[in-house]
Amino acid sequence: MTYHLSASPTTVRLKRYTKTEQSEILGDSADPFGVADAGLTWLPKDDHFGIRQEGRLVAHAGLLRLPISIGGLDTEVVGVGGVAVAPDLRGRGLARLVVTAALDHARTMGPQNGLLFCRPPLVPLYQRLGWRTLDQDVHVEQSGGLVIMPLRTMWTPLHNGANWPDGAVRLRSLPM
Ligand SMILES: CC(C)(COP(=O)(O)OP(=O)(O)OC[C@H]1O[C@@H](n2cnc3c(N)ncnc32)[C@H](O)[C@@H]1OP(=O)(O)O)[C@@H](O)C(=O)NCCC(=O)NCCS
């Protein structure tokens, strides 16, 4: 039987996204996101978006609302995480597609801005998708207390005119 890639893959809301679904996309490597060195504990995401091709899950992006303090004011952001594309299908726009669909949903969630953490080599990719770097220390919670996020922090406006306020940034939860 010959399998053809769907000409225009569509993104769907996933009912579940566990280690099993993540392995379906990324395989079983110990550190598929390349962030183990940071030694951080991460939050699972609440809402999951995925792309299936021929029944196989090939891409994912997750979302959750997070409390954050910016310049001493408490607010919320939509955290984006777990962005993943199957290794054999990278470079074909699947991350763009699944992140765009996740952000379309994020715009219905209330917060003004989206937030993500990524390894430095991924900054140009997310910039290409409209994200901006936050060039300041960002504190996040860990079991032992606050730590400075060692990865790069990026944000994107979810609504017209949304800006990132000035001031110290403290995520009032584990990172996502
Ligand atoms: C990071 C990852 C999700 C990217 O998936 P992908 O499907 O290859 O990405 P896309 O093809 O959708 O690329 C997105 C955009 O970034 C651009 N891009 C990719 N690499 C780039 C680079 N180094 N510099 C600038 N732009 C880049 C692409 O051209 C594309 O832009 P376009 O749509 O305008 O052409 C994938 O490599 C992956 O799963 N990595 C392992 C898990 C991981 O590290 N996830 C990130 C967690 S933050």
Side-chain angles (χ1 to χ4, degrees), residues 10 69 86 102 167:
T10 51
S69 149

Side-chain angles (χ1 to χ4, degrees), residues 26-176:
L26 290 173
D28 286 320
S29 88
D31 183 19
F33 293 97
V35 297
D37 281 358
L40 295 171
T41 305
W42 301 89
L43 280 178
K45 274 49 84 181
D46 285 340
D47 298 306
H48 300 281
F49 300 83
I51 297 171
R52 286 187 206 282
Q53 286 187 346
E54 308 292 347
R56 169 190 172 206
L57 190 62
V58 296
H60 167 263
L63 300 178
L64 84 166
R65 288 170 73 125
L66 294 168
I68 192 168
S69 149
I70 310 174
L73 292 177
D74 289 341
T75 182
E76 285 188 325
V77 286
V78 180
V80 176
V83 178
V85 171
D88 52 318
L89 295 173
R90 289 180 189 164
R92 304 181 186 193
L94 292 183
R96 173 184 281 281
L97 208 58
V98 78
V99 170
T100 300
L103 288 186
D104 284 347
H105 182 76
R107 284 181 237 289
T108 71
M109 294 169 69
Q112 292 296 301
N113 294 311
L115 186 81
L116 66 74
F117 301 112
C118 68
R119 290 177 288 113
L122 290 179
V123 165
L125 183 151
Y126 284 112
Q127 281 175 329
R128 182 95 183 139
L129 301 184
W131 292 73
R132 302 128 197 235
T133 52
L134 199 56
D135 296 317
Q136 64 188 82
D137 285 348
V138 172
H139 287 84
V140 302
E141 290 184 2
Q142 292 287 281
S143 56
L146 284 180
V147 301
I148 294 177
M149 169 52 67
L151 301 175
R152 299 297 299 274
T153 304
M154 301 187 77
W155 70 279
T156 194
L158 296 175
H159 299 283
N160 281 341
N163 269 311
W164 191 269
D166 289 334
V169 176
R170 178 160 77 89
L171 194 64
R172 297 174 58 237
S173 74
L174 297 173
M176 65 295 161

